[in-house]
Amino acid sequence: MSRILRNPISLAFLAILVLIVAGSTFATVPETKQAVIVRFGQPVRVVNAYHPGQDFGGTGAGLIARYPFIEQLVWIDKRILNVDMDSQQVLSTDQQRLQVDAFARYRIIDPVRMYVTARTPDRVSDALKPILSSAIRNELGKRPFAALLSPERGQLMTNIRNAMNGFAHRYGAEVIDVRIKRADLPEGSTTDSAYQRMRTAREQEAGSIRAQGYKQAQIIRADADAEAASIYAEAYGKDPDFYDFYRAMQSYETTFSPNAAEGQPPQGKTTIILSPENDYLREFRGHK
């Protein structure tokens, strides 16, 4: 031992050997990572595994020890990960071709299963991309374009997330949220045609409402005229002399009054010359 301590080369070799053994034995696990310890290709335990509701700082992160050289560490992100879907066209129930761009957020909740089935989180993301695309096509294909602009959109996102979770659990992952970043009509003639169809439909609806209103107005006017005629006829039948007098007063007002009622055209602007014995002026004579 004394010879080794006197030989600088041997001392340096020993120090390097100690560092290698220490590096293969000890490791520091950060809060943002899960460590799967693998022995001869088989996972044996997990350090700092994710547990729902666990407080920060009490997850088992920090300095750990393992058997040197026979156990390796596989690092798995403990944070929420993203998977982006490539933009694609989806056909809705109202035959609208929508350009959809979406993404999903997921977390690795079973690192051992993820290691066995996919080895790395990147492979999990690659496996979830086609599932996200398929789930969005299936859900949007059951609904019209207007559903994306209504409260029904929340239920649609929930259905997509549930559909993805049925597949993600095979990889030890859990889909937390799904969001559609963009859902637009394609640019060009298709968009113009869609807008034109929407405009035509609204114009037809407005024309139908106006026609119904005009019909109702005609019915109301006809009923009012019939009721007025009935009242006049009833009044004439009860007192013909008074009815003749009333009608004559109305005619005199229209003919001789220089001032028009508010909102009515000017009246009494015509000049006429009548004989005092004219039958039209009988009410001025006090007799028929």
Side-chain angles (χ1 to χ4, degrees):
M1 186 68 179
S2 59
R3 290 181 180 179
I4 295 176
L5 295 177
R6 294 193 195 100
N7 189 338
I9 295 177
S10 299
L11 186 61
F13 179 78
L14 180 61
I16 293 173
L17 182 61
V18 170
L19 291 176
I20 292 175
V21 173
S24 300
T25 304
F26 301 100
T28 301
V29 180
E31 288 285 351
T32 58
K33 298 289 185 180
Q34 304 177 81
V36 178
I37 298 178
V38 179
R39 183 186 303 166
F40 302 119
Q42 297 296 325
V44 292
R45 67 182 186 277
V46 178
V47 179
N48 196 32
Y50 168 76
H51 297 288
Q54 194 172 37
D55 294 333
F56 184 82
T59 58
L63 186 65
I64 63 170
R66 67 186 189 277
Y67 292 112
F69 307 115
I70 63 174
E71 291 184 345
Q72 290 80 37
L73 291 178
V74 177
W75 300 106
I76 298 174
D77 208 319
K78 196 176 182 180
R79 296 168 293 184
I80 295 175
L81 306 175
N82 291 337
V83 53
D84 289 319
M85 183 191 77
D86 297 332
S87 181
Q88 64 176 345
Q89 281 195 359
V90 178
L91 186 65
S92 62
T93 55
D94 52 357
Q95 303 303 310
Q96 299 289 345
R97 294 188 178 275
L98 309 177
Q99 198 71 27
V100 179
D101 192 4
F103 69 93
R105 294 189 178 99
Y106 72 96
R107 173 187 278 127
I108 303 299
I109 60 174
D110 189 346
V112 173
R113 178 175 292 184
M114 191 232 70
Y115 175 78
V116 172
T117 55
R119 298 293 178 177
T120 65
D122 291 338
R123 292 184 178 178
V124 176
S125 297
D126 293 339
L128 290 179
K129 278 184 180 180
I131 303 303
L132 175 60
S133 300
S134 176
I136 287 180
R137 282 197 305 270
N138 290 339
E139 287 298 324
L140 295 185
K142 301 175 184 177
R143 291 171 172 80
F145 174 63
L148 295 177
L149 309 176
S150 67
E152 189 179 353
R153 182 187 180 111
Q155 183 60 45
L156 187 147
M157 297 296 101
T158 301
N159 293 344
I160 296 174
R161 184 190 64 194
N162 294 339
M164 291 187 65
N165 269 328
F167 184 84
H169 287 165
R170 304 177 188 176
Y171 292 92
E174 179 185 30
V175 178
I176 299 172
D177 193 16
V178 177
R179 285 289 180 266
I180 293 179
K181 295 188 288 187
R182 183 172 65 94
D184 300 327
L185 296 171
E187 299 180 357
S189 59
T190 305
T191 305
D192 298 338
S193 176
Y195 286 149
Q196 183 60 39
R197 288 197 300 269
M198 294 170 65
R199 186 182 301 112
T200 301
R202 294 300 177 267
E203 289 176 352
Q204 291 175 349
E205 183 178 0
S208 176
I209 293 173
R210 283 195 297 268
Q212 290 294 329
Y214 179 77
K215 179 181 178 181
Q216 292 296 326
Q218 292 292 96
I219 294 174
I220 294 173
R221 187 177 297 110
D223 291 343
D225 291 343
E227 185 177 0
S230 175
I231 293 173
Y232 281 137
E234 184 179 356
Y236 182 78
K238 289 182 178 180
D239 193 344
D241 292 338
F242 175 77
Y243 182 76
D244 288 342
F245 173 76
Y246 176 73
R247 296 295 294 174
M249 292 300 103
Q250 285 184 320
S251 178
Y252 293 159
E253 182 182 11
T254 302
T255 305
F256 301 122
S257 176
N259 299 322
E262 183 178 356
Q264 298 295 328
Q267 299 175 349
K269 296 298 183 180
T270 304
T271 300
I272 58 174
I273 299 175
L274 298 174
S275 169
E277 301 298 326
N278 191 287
D279 189 59
Y280 181 68
L281 302 176
R282 64 182 181 273
E283 297 297 338
F284 288 100
R285 299 194 299 270
H287 55 85
K288 294 186 180 180

